[in-house]
Amino acid sequence: MQKNTISLCMIVKNEEKYLDKCLKCVQGKVDEIIIVDTGSTDRTVEIAEKYGSIIKYFEWIDDFAAARNYSIDAATSEYILILDADEYIDDGADLQKELEKNKDYYSLTIKNYQTEGRAILHKNVRLFKSGIGLHYSGKLHEHLNTFGEDNKYEGTDSDILIHHVGYMPEVVKEKGKKKRNLDIMIKEVEKNQTGYSYYNMGVVYMQEERYNEALDMFKKSYSLSKGKTYVRTLLVHMGECLQLLGRHEEGIKLLLDAVSVYSGYIDLHYTLGNLYLNSGYLKDAQIVFERCLGFSEELDNVGIEGTSSYMSNYKLAVIYDMKGKQGDAFDRAYEAVMRKRSFTPALSLYLKIMQRAGINPTEIKEQLDKIYAIDTAEDIKALIYSLYETRHPLLYDFLFIFEDFRLADMRAVALMLNKQYDNSLREWEKADKVSKDSVLDAAVLCLLTQNTLLVDKIKECLNFSNKEWKFIRKLILKESIDKPYLTPEVEKMIYNISEYLINIGEFDLFEYISSYLMQCSAEILDKTASLLLDYNFTDTAMDLLSTSINNYPARSESYILLGDAYKNQGKIDEALECYKVALNQQEEYRIYEKIYDAYEAKGDRINKLTLKNDMKEKYPLSLWLKGIDFANN
């Protein structure tokens, strides 16, 4: 079949960091490259010329559509391909094969990479016929005129995948995208008060973490967007805003209505699961994430990547971990890692569960060698950063094997975790200062070695008052302290040091720190007890909780944790008594669920059914109370 000619049309500004990779990926795939520069001051134009591009210049007027139309007007080929500089297509992408379908336009899948190995996917028209009247509109999130009542164009989906790194936080910050997008959208909404403009304004407000304003924009958009393709995503964003605002029940109501209308859109189910999880409805969250796993992965190609696989498996691992079911949590975390090795939250949880279970590093490394085949740089980075995040002793083994990924702070931390304290100190001595990410590591190393030079470097990273710092310095150097100076920030530091010491097995030093922990607030005492329970130090946790209850008898959280401790020991009656005291102090759904689980563990069918009926009246948003059943109840 005769080859179709293709023009790559791009608009760019200061893209020297990304442009080369983008233009390299289309070599042999396009017949001409049109580069419209909107004011670069770096090597962008020089790089574009290296690939034989036709360079055009356009004065930036805060209008992406105008710049985009200027680029396609300069094209001379039969078809136009649109890419941004921070995007690329795979080497094996066959554009000519797609064009054999002889359509006016093609919707390609864009994979927007996020942090922690996550990704968001969406469809967008990026390949289309030239000279048939297709043009862009919209100052931001510009779109082609391929829809509407007078639509005369025929399109189809394409199998081509576009990789987009432009939504990674470091890229957004580097390019100043947030402020630019906000300025553009304010002007756009003033000029065009359409459902789509309000929707895009809401997205920009979400990126700015202005969730109330985002929610207002989405509500305005929804009333004007009946039948539009973006309505489902709009509802997801509304649910996400309500979750971030702590308005969980309002979000659950919205999403329950949404999934009844758009039952086949998995992102709505997944967002509903998150709302249940964050409001303590663990059984309902479990129902929803199990439901997500029942969706076909073939449908999971638009929206949040992995909702039908690794993302939902990870959420189920989190739920089981919260319920103290470590075996089930481990299995789900393992499944999530198997589905996507670069998804660091699942990998970190997988490592944490093994650490808490007391599995020694040698056995963990053997397990990793079996299941974690390192095939790509992405896999290596994910493993190293997960080991670093969990402060795992194996960081030393992997960091020093893959020297390309060794960062200064990581070297010092890895040596410390490997108990090479003197070598770790020598690494810190090379640094002018300690980074904020590593200040806790340095503080613990000072406690282990009593090194005063490193202590002075730590001070620069902490936004402490003189009194706060004076106390922390004495604590780290184990000097005599007449009276602890316990502010919330100091208490947080003491807790974080305690957690670190338990994590690395320095229990003698934990005993030293615990004398100050016992003088901290109820919140810190409960948090420490929860940590001890995670590591199966149940007796120590119970002693701490007894102290907390004596000091703060009206605090429900302490009774909940004591109930969990009794349940871990198989003392269900004692656990029930604690949960009931907590419920009398504060009526809360999650406590009811714990009491229900305790009745079930006892085999007390009558009390279980009575409680369930009572809960059904109080919590009408719950799915399982309405009779939906699921495995591992």
Side-chain angles (χ1 to χ4, degrees):
M1 181 171 285
Q2 184 177 355
K3 178 179 177 290
N4 295 287
T5 57
I6 303 171
S7 296
L8 171 65
C9 294
M10 301 179 63
I11 55 175
V12 299
K13 180 181 178 182
N14 293 336
E15 297 286 3
E16 65 177 6
K17 187 174 180 179
Y18 307 99
L19 186 59
D20 189 77
K21 183 172 185 176
C22 177
L23 296 182
K24 189 177 291 183
C25 83
V26 297
Q27 292 295 285
K29 293 181 173 64
V30 300
D31 300 276
E32 69 174 353
I33 299 173
I34 309 293
I35 299 287
V36 171
D37 187 81
T38 63
S40 294
T41 56
D42 62 1
R43 294 178 52 251
T44 293
V45 172
E46 178 187 335
I47 294 168
E49 288 174 339
K50 184 177 77 172
Y51 287 90
S53 307
I54 299 167
I55 311 296
K56 301 283 184 178
Y57 296 93
F58 183 84
E59 183 178 351
W60 183 243
I61 55 173
D62 284 344
D63 191 329
F64 278 90
R68 199 71 81 183
N69 288 331
Y70 184 73
S71 73
I72 64 178
D73 286 344
T76 62
S77 299
E78 299 164 280
Y79 284 86
I80 291 170
L81 172 67
I82 300 291
L83 290 176
D84 288 332
D86 51 17
E87 296 177 336
Y88 61 94
I89 57 177
D90 295 318
D91 291 340
D94 191 342
L95 298 174
Q96 293 297 326
K97 184 177 180 180
E98 293 297 314
L99 297 181
E100 290 176 5
K101 300 171 185 175
N102 194 30
K103 302 296 182 181
D104 296 317
Y105 65 88
Y106 300 82
S107 295
L108 279 62
T109 300
I110 320 294
K111 185 173 183 177
N112 304 287
Y113 290 91
Q114 313 281 305
T115 58
E116 301 176 325
R118 296 174 298 131
I120 306 291
L121 296 97
H122 73 279
K123 291 282 190 181
N124 194 267
V125 177
R126 293 297 194 89
L127 184 62
F128 54 92
K129 280 184 180 178
S130 176
I132 62 172
L134 287 169
H135 63 273
Y136 283 93
S137 60
K139 291 179 181 294
L140 183 70
H141 301 297
E142 68 281 9
H143 56 280
L144 283 170
N145 57 320
T146 57
F147 55 86
E149 294 180 3
D150 58 345
N151 178 25
K152 59 185 178 181
Y153 304 107
E154 186 178 354
T156 190
D157 287 341
S158 165
D159 293 329
I160 303 292
L161 178 67
I162 296 175
H163 304 271
H164 179 218
V165 300
Y167 285 148
M168 296 290 284
E170 63 271 21
V171 180
V172 172
K173 183 178 180 181
E174 174 189 321
K175 295 185 178 182
K177 282 185 174 184
K178 287 185 178 180
K179 186 180 185 307
R180 179 203 68 188
N181 291 353
L182 181 61
D183 293 342
I184 292 173
M185 278 312 306
I186 288 172
K187 294 175 185 176
E188 177 72 8
V189 169
E190 287 175 355
K191 183 179 177 182
N192 298 308
Q193 296 180 4
T194 64
Y196 193 61
S197 293
Y198 285 129
Y199 168 73
N200 286 323
M201 186 79 251
V203 171
V204 171
Y205 276 138
M206 278 193 78
Q207 292 167 348
E208 288 280 312
E209 299 180 10
R210 294 162 63 173
Y211 302 118
N212 276 311
E213 291 160 288
L215 195 57
D216 288 341
M217 288 296 114
F218 290 138
K219 287 178 180 177
K220 288 182 179 180
S221 174
Y222 185 76
S223 65
L224 297 171
S225 302
K226 185 178 181 181
K228 301 297 184 182
T229 56
Y230 57 82
V231 166
R232 300 177 308 173
T233 308
L234 183 155
L235 289 166
V236 168
H237 288 329
M238 288 179 74
E240 290 170 338
C241 283
L242 289 166
Q243 177 182 315
L244 290 162
L245 290 167
R247 293 155 60 178
H248 297 118
E249 292 200 353
E250 190 178 341
I252 291 170
K253 288 177 185 176
L254 173 72
L255 269 296
L256 283 172
D257 289 340
V259 297
S260 68
V261 177
Y262 303 104
S263 60
Y265 190 55
I266 189 172
D267 282 15
L268 288 168
H269 295 272
Y270 182 79
T271 307
L272 175 61
N274 279 329
L275 283 158
Y276 275 129
L277 177 58
N278 283 279
S279 56
Y281 285 61
L282 298 188
K283 290 181 182 292
D284 295 293
Q286 185 176 341
I287 288 172
V288 177
F289 291 126
E290 292 280 9
R291 181 186 296 166
C292 288
L293 292 175
F295 278 77
S296 168
E297 288 192 43
E298 293 179 4
L299 298 176
D300 188 19
N301 61 1
V302 176
I304 305 167
E305 183 195 60
T307 46
S308 67
S309 57
Y310 70 91
M311 291 290 281
S312 290
N313 270 303
Y314 168 66
K315 293 293 183 179
L316 287 165
V318 169
I319 291 167
Y320 284 127
D321 192 41
M322 291 172 70
K323 295 174 82 168
K325 296 184 176 183
Q326 296 303 304
D328 292 325
F330 179 84
D331 290 344
R332 291 295 189 173
Y334 171 86
E335 186 65 30
V337 172
M338 290 297 94
R339 296 295 184 96
K340 187 166 187 180
R341 292 197 297 267
S342 62
F343 183 50
T344 55
L347 185 53
S348 295
L349 181 56
Y350 178 74
L351 292 166
K352 278 181 186 175
I353 292 169
M354 286 194 283
Q355 264 184 298
R356 289 190 211 136
I359 300 173
N360 68 59
T362 302
E363 290 180 78
I364 294 175
K365 189 171 188 304
E366 289 174 359
Q367 176 77 1
L368 283 172
D369 289 340
K370 288 178 183 176
I371 65 116
Y372 199 90
I374 297 174
D375 298 323
T376 66
E378 187 180 32
D379 295 337
I380 297 170
K381 285 181 180 178
L383 179 57
I384 287 176
Y385 283 112
S386 291
L387 290 166
Y388 179 64
E389 182 190 0
T390 56
R391 297 307 192 262
H392 199 287
L394 288 178
L395 176 64
Y396 176 84
D397 298 66
F398 288 95
L399 190 65
F400 283 83
I401 290 171
F402 304 108
E403 295 190 10
D404 289 347
F405 299 96
R406 287 168 55 183
L407 304 177
D409 285 6
M410 275 193 183
R411 286 198 299 273
V413 173
L415 287 163
M416 184 180 76
L417 294 171
N418 197 243
K419 299 192 181 299
Q420 298 184 43
Y421 299 142
D422 290 339
N423 288 335
S424 180
L425 278 174
R426 280 192 280 274
E427 286 291 335
W428 284 122
E429 286 168 2
K430 296 176 188 176
D432 295 330
K433 61 181 181 179
V434 175
S435 73
K436 288 185 178 180
D437 288 341
S438 299
V439 67
L440 184 62
D441 304 284
V444 171
L445 185 59
C446 286
L447 186 59
L448 289 162
T449 62
Q450 304 293 283
N451 183 279
T452 55
L453 179 62
L454 188 53
V455 168
D456 293 333
K457 289 184 179 182
I458 293 170
K459 182 181 179 182
E460 300 172 16
C461 295
L462 295 172
N463 188 26
F464 279 1
S465 68
N466 286 334
K467 284 186 176 181
E468 288 173 325
W469 170 245
K470 185 178 179 181
F471 168 68
I472 286 295
R473 191 179 194 280
K474 285 185 174 182
L475 178 76
I476 291 172
L477 296 178
K478 301 175 74 173
E479 295 176 358
S480 176
I481 298 171
D482 295 330
K483 185 179 179 181
Y485 189 72
L486 298 173
T487 64
E489 285 304 311
V490 168
E491 288 190 349
K492 182 180 178 182
M493 181 83 172
I494 294 173
Y495 170 79
N496 288 337
I497 290 173
S498 302
E499 181 180 24
Y500 204 121
L501 292 170
I502 290 174
N503 184 48
I504 64 174
E506 291 287 350
F507 301 116
D508 289 341
L509 281 175
F510 173 75
E511 285 292 326
Y512 159 69
I513 291 289
S514 65
S515 64
Y516 297 100
L517 271 174
M518 298 294 282
Q519 301 174 62
C520 288
S521 64
E523 289 80 7
I524 293 296
L525 289 174
D526 287 340
K527 198 173 178 184
T528 305
S530 180
L531 171 69
L532 290 166
L533 288 174
D534 284 342
Y535 279 85
N536 296 312
F537 298 122
T538 305
D539 291 339
T540 308
M542 293 177 80
D543 290 341
L544 190 62
L545 288 166
S546 296
T547 300
S548 181
I549 287 169
N550 286 333
N551 293 338
Y552 309 97
R555 184 170 168 78
S556 63
E557 191 64 31
S558 301
Y559 283 100
I560 293 170
L561 288 168
L562 188 58
D564 291 344
Y566 278 126
K567 191 176 179 187
N568 288 350
Q569 293 179 327
K571 298 176 179 179
I572 306 303
D573 288 326
E574 290 88 341
L576 265 171
E577 289 305 311
C578 290
Y579 295 146
K580 287 176 181 179
V581 172
L583 189 64
N584 287 333
Q585 291 175 337
Q586 183 175 345
E587 191 168 287
E588 197 176 339
Y589 170 84
R590 67 187 178 115
I591 305 175
Y592 275 107
E593 194 171 294
K594 285 179 177 292
I595 293 173
Y596 180 91
D597 286 343
Y599 281 139
E600 185 159 69
K602 280 189 63 169
D604 189 340
R605 185 172 177 273
I606 294 174
N607 275 320
K608 186 177 76 167
L609 292 176
T610 302
L611 181 68
K612 186 173 182 179
N613 289 330
D614 187 26
M615 291 173 69
K616 195 180 299 184
E617 291 183 16
K618 287 183 170 70
Y619 301 102
L621 296 177
S622 173
L623 297 173
W624 77 275
L625 289 171
K626 295 175 182 175
I628 298 176
D629 197 12
F630 56 105
N632 298 321
N633 188 38

